[in-house]
Amino acid sequence: MRLPFFLSIPPAVRLFALCGCLALWPWVASGQDGVGSTGAPGAVAPATAAKPGAPRPRAQRNPDAPIRLRVVGGLGLVTQYTQFEEPFWTRDLSRLSGGRLVADIVPFDRAGVPGVEMLRLLQLGVVPFGTALMSSFSAQYPQYTAVDLPGLSADIASLRRASAAFRPYLEEALREEHGVEVLAVYVYPAQVVFCKKTLTRLDDLAGRRVRVSSPAQADFVAALGAEPVVTAFAQQRSSLESGDVDCAVTGAMSGNTLGLDTVASFLYPLPLNWGMAVFGANRAAWNALPADARTLLRTELGRLQEAVWAQAERETAQGIACNTGQASCRDGRKGAMVLVPVSERDDRRRLEVFRTSVLPKWRRRCAVNCDEIWERTIGAHSPSGSQAGPRAAAR
């Protein structure tokens, strides 16, 4: 499995370069607490004004000025960002708070922030509020990715049950080990398979080069005899066009947005997984906010989370409809892909691959006791080791 060049750079060098670049950006130049010079709690003077180790001088606060938050959002090309995250932070938050809270947001993939560094940047406070893709935790912190292992949840109802069982552990671990407060857990539409050549069942992936986005996805397709290839989200179409990959695993609607329906001919709609993201806050930035502001954010981000989950389910169905040119397509471009029926045999194969390959390999990758984590979270609510259920929009 080939990894992006960025990951080959030593972590300390990557972090130094990122922090240097981010310090030049207006939306983070105001300091660790993630608020600007408009007078929010904890606003600070430029770092050059203080000696190393000395207390950082605080700017005088204007009690009538709004609190300005600096936010890094998720993938900029997809609905979660364009229709939910960006409008919430740039428009709705000011209205909901009576003008007391305002925010600037930029998607991480347009701001030059590698997803694999987001958790560390949140921990340091370089990014005070941000969305981290759960797949970006896979290399360093695989224990945080159990909720969306490929083959685990064949529909969004199963995913909700897994998320409810896993979230208490995730919140505690990120708070205690990284100083990050989890405020929402988002989900992307189902991750399905786009292929250029004829596909009739899961095992037809054997011998093909398949784009994946995480080690766990790589484990799943490798168990089917395919060769996993890690490719950036925005590069999927060019990789299919050039022949670098034969198939791609990605969101049903995001594939349509990228134009994969114009270069691939077969759509296999069984969700391998869903793609999840954590929205969190640096603990110092979070605690710097007034208590009533924190209460409002928790409430409204909970509502935003529910809207994102509902949209992910709708968008999965719409992505399938649009890529295959169905009359029910409303939100995308009508394609002409062949919809591959999902058989009971393939659903059993999904479970088999999860139990015999994905879950054991995830456990082996963990540097902590993932057996114990699994058994007291998802495993406790799913004795069979997997979430079974009807397939979302797959038949």
Side-chain angles (χ1 to χ4, degrees), residues 193 195 197-202 204-205 208 266 268 340:
V193 183
C195 276
K197 296 181 181 180
T198 302
L199 185 76
T200 61
R201 56 179 183 164
L202 272 178
D204 287 346
L205 292 175
R208 304 191 194 188
F266 293 85
Y268 185 80
V340 180

Side-chain angles (χ1 to χ4, degrees), residues 156-203:
I156 204 160
S158 300
L159 183 65
R160 282 185 179 274
R161 291 193 294 271
S163 181
F166 192 69
R167 183 161 175 170
Y169 159 76
L170 184 65
E171 289 183 350
E172 179 182 9
L174 292 184
R175 183 186 303 116
E176 298 302 319
E177 298 174 23
H178 303 276
V180 172
E181 193 72 24
V182 175
L183 302 177
V185 175
Y186 302 139
V187 63
Y188 289 98
Q191 301 285 292
V192 298
V193 183
F194 292 74
C195 276
K196 296 168 70 173
K197 296 181 181 180
T198 302
L199 185 76
T200 61
R201 56 179 183 164
L202 272 178
D203 284 318

Side-chain angles (χ1 to χ4, degrees), residues 7-20:
L7 294 181
S8 66
I9 302 172
V13 176
R14 295 203 308 260
L15 197 57
F16 178 81
L18 281 169
C19 291

Side-chain angles (χ1 to χ4, degrees), residues 57-391:
R58 294 187 177 274
Q60 293 296 317
R61 183 186 178 196
N62 176 356
D64 297 323
I67 299 171
R68 181 170 294 276
L69 307 179
R70 315 296 184 177
V71 183
V72 177
L75 289 163
L77 290 175
V78 300
T79 301
Q80 177 183 300
Y81 182 83
T82 59
Q83 296 185 23
F84 291 90
E85 286 191 282
E86 185 177 38
F88 173 81
W89 292 106
T90 61
R91 183 193 65 203
D92 299 343
L93 182 61
S94 177
R95 172 180 56 81
L96 292 166
S97 65
R100 190 178 182 207
L101 298 175
V102 295
D104 299 316
I105 184 171
V106 60
F108 79 86
D109 55 330
R110 292 184 187 172
V113 179
V116 294
E117 300 293 345
M118 182 60 74
L119 181 58
R120 180 63 172 157
L121 294 174
L122 277 166
Q123 182 176 6
L124 291 173
V126 176
V127 172
F129 299 86
T131 301
L133 301 185
M134 200 168 281
S135 61
S136 72
F137 302 156
S138 298
Q140 288 185 288
Y141 307 106
Q143 64 269 30
Y144 301 152
T145 67
V147 67
D148 195 30
L149 290 174
L152 174 63
S153 299
D155 55 48
I156 204 160
S158 300
L159 183 65
R160 282 185 179 274
R161 291 193 294 271
S163 181
F166 192 69
R167 183 161 175 170
Y169 159 76
L170 184 65
E171 289 183 350
E172 179 182 9
L174 292 184
R175 183 186 303 116
E176 298 302 319
E177 298 174 23
H178 303 276
V180 172
E181 193 72 24
V182 175
L183 302 177
V185 175
Y186 302 139
V187 63
Y188 289 98
Q191 301 285 292
V192 298
V193 183
F194 292 74
C195 276
K196 296 168 70 173
K197 296 181 181 180
T198 302
L199 185 76
T200 61
R201 56 179 183 164
L202 272 178
D203 284 318
D204 287 346
L205 292 175
R208 304 191 194 188
R209 290 168 58 83
V210 180
R211 180 268 175 180
V212 297
S213 61
S214 70
Q217 278 190 356
D219 292 339
F220 190 95
V221 301
L224 297 169
E227 179 184 351
V229 181
V230 175
T231 304
F233 175 78
Q235 295 173 354
Q236 293 180 76
R237 177 172 174 169
S238 62
S239 294
L240 282 166
E241 286 178 326
S242 68
D244 186 48
V245 298
D246 305 302
C247 305
V249 178
T250 194
M253 182 55 80
S254 56
N256 185 269
T257 301
L258 292 172
L260 300 193
D261 60 294
T262 65
V263 292
S265 300
F266 293 85
L267 182 68
Y268 185 80
L270 176 66
L272 300 194
N273 62 321
W274 293 78
M276 299 186 74
V278 175
F279 181 79
N282 169 269
R283 184 160 51 188
W286 180 246
N287 290 338
L289 293 172
D292 59 337
R294 295 197 300 269
T295 298
L296 183 142
L297 283 170
R298 280 200 183 276
T299 299
E300 298 304 332
L301 284 168
R303 291 172 178 163
L304 178 64
Q305 172 184 288
E306 285 307 306
V308 168
W309 278 70
Q311 178 63 17
E313 186 171 21
R314 288 193 299 269
E315 202 166 89
T316 296
Q318 274 292 292
I320 293 169
C322 291
N323 285 313
T324 56
Q326 297 177 28
S328 57
C329 173
R330 297 288 184 272
D331 300 337
R333 177 189 56 259
K334 284 189 178 182
M337 297 185 72
V338 175
L339 182 63
V340 180
V342 177
S343 66
E344 291 293 338
R345 175 182 176 180
D346 266 7
D347 199 37
R348 292 193 298 270
R349 184 74 168 116
R350 166 187 69 86
L351 290 170
E352 177 189 2
V353 170
F354 173 76
R355 291 168 177 158
T356 63
S357 182
V358 175
L359 186 59
K361 289 183 178 180
W362 170 77
R363 284 171 157 155
R364 288 198 294 270
R365 274 197 299 271
C366 284
V368 298
N369 188 1
C370 278
D371 284 340
E372 188 272 335
I373 292 170
W374 177 264
E375 295 304 330
R376 71 182 172 93
T377 59
I378 300 168
H381 295 79
S382 178
S384 65
S386 179
Q387 303 287 321
R391 286 158 296 288

